[in-house]
Amino acid sequence: MIAIYKRELYSFFTTPIGYVYIAMFWAVSSFAFCVTTLLAGLDSNMGSYFTYELIIIALMTPLLTMRSFADERRLKTEQLLLTAPVSLPGFVGAKFLASYTMFAGTFLISCINLPIMFSYLSDYYLYHYNVVTAMGSCIALLLVGAAFISIGLLISSLTENQMVAAIGTLTASAALLGASLANNYIGFAPLRAVLRWISIYARFTGFSNGYFDVASLIYYISFALVCLFITVRVYEKRRWA
């Protein structure tokens, strides 16, 4: 498992994907931070910044996951991995951890703007923003990232075309983000309850409002584990096909 993890993590830096992801994430995240906080003045809103971060993560996660399994199928190398002395959960878990390491490392480095802001502009910003709320939002985004990456890996395991995997991941992520927004147009209460329950955005708002939502924590972790479990099942079927 460790060998596959190192191989996958190293592959991000032997191709342009890793560098493009890091550069784009930092650039867009910094722009969103400046627009929603520093340049907004009295109308600034830290909650808006983290909402934009949520959208950025949804848009950019496919860059990390689209080639994970699809590329193995295209290059006909997945059979070598399937016959390697490693379990399927270890195989899938290593790919997940490699992608998540890239995401989490990039995101946490981008968060350096938060302590800088609180340190140098504390007289104004500490009056408006709560440090605990910012930390809670960061934790929530790390959990959301795990959910999006698990979705991307599952979709990547179903195709050998990287673009199909990327578009499928983006579509699924957008659907999960927009599920709660659809409640404004649905009058059937049971369906609205289901959409609210599966919505990633609806559960994120609890953290962004300053309280640690244990139910949402369990939801994000369970969601990621279920997607990874299904990915393992896909490869179990493929191994014996």
Side-chain angles (χ1 to χ4, degrees):
M1 177 177 177
I2 295 177
I4 296 176
Y5 167 76
K6 290 181 178 179
R7 169 182 173 269
E8 289 297 313
L9 192 59
Y10 181 71
S11 69
F12 285 118
F13 298 100
T14 55
T15 61
I17 292 179
Y19 301 103
V20 170
Y21 174 80
I22 293 172
M24 288 182 62
F25 191 98
W26 286 348
V28 178
S29 179
S30 298
F31 177 77
F33 178 79
C34 291
V35 170
T36 57
T37 58
L38 302 182
L39 299 181
L42 295 175
D43 296 326
S44 58
N45 185 349
M46 181 66 74
S48 297
Y49 165 67
F50 286 114
T51 299
Y52 282 119
E53 282 286 272
L54 181 64
I55 297 172
I56 292 168
I57 292 171
L59 292 175
M60 299 195 62
T61 297
L63 284 176
L64 296 178
T65 61
M66 65 182 186
R67 55 175 294 276
S68 294
F69 293 109
D71 215 33
E72 301 285 1
R73 294 186 65 183
R74 184 178 62 85
L75 298 175
K76 310 299 181 184
T77 58
E78 69 173 2
Q79 291 302 322
L80 296 175
L81 294 173
L82 290 175
T83 56
V86 61
S87 65
L88 284 177
F91 169 57
V92 174
K95 285 183 172 286
F96 170 80
L97 289 176
S99 297
Y100 190 74
T101 299
M102 275 293 297
F103 156 72
T106 304
F107 171 71
L108 290 175
I109 292 175
S110 74
C111 290
I112 195 172
N113 51 26
L114 299 179
I116 289 176
M117 182 190 73
F118 286 123
S119 297
Y120 291 95
L121 302 173
S122 57
D123 290 342
Y124 172 74
Y125 282 99
L126 286 180
Y127 176 78
H128 290 272
Y129 305 132
N130 189 310
V131 177
V132 175
T133 301
M135 292 179 61
S137 297
C138 289
I139 293 173
L141 289 174
L142 288 172
L143 293 170
V144 169
F148 284 152
I149 288 172
S150 65
I151 294 172
L153 292 178
L154 173 58
I155 295 176
S156 181
S157 70
L158 300 174
T159 179
E160 63 180 28
N161 189 308
Q162 294 186 29
M163 288 304 300
V164 171
I167 294 172
T169 301
L170 186 60
T171 302
S173 300
L176 288 169
L177 280 179
S180 60
L181 299 178
N183 284 339
N184 298 327
Y185 308 97
I186 296 176
F188 188 53
L191 180 57
R192 294 180 63 181
V194 171
L195 291 175
R196 186 166 53 250
W197 187 85
I198 67 173
S199 172
I200 283 181
Y201 178 75
R203 294 181 177 275
F204 171 77
T205 55
F207 289 92
S208 63
N209 287 330
Y211 63 91
F212 193 83
D213 191 344
V214 177
S216 295
L217 172 67
I218 296 174
Y219 166 80
Y220 288 128
I221 295 175
S222 299
F223 188 95
L225 290 176
V226 168
C227 288
L228 294 177
F229 173 77
I230 296 174
T231 305
V232 171
R233 296 294 296 173
V234 168
Y235 270 90
E236 282 182 350
K237 183 178 179 180
R238 191 171 297 156
R239 170 179 277 182
W240 300 111

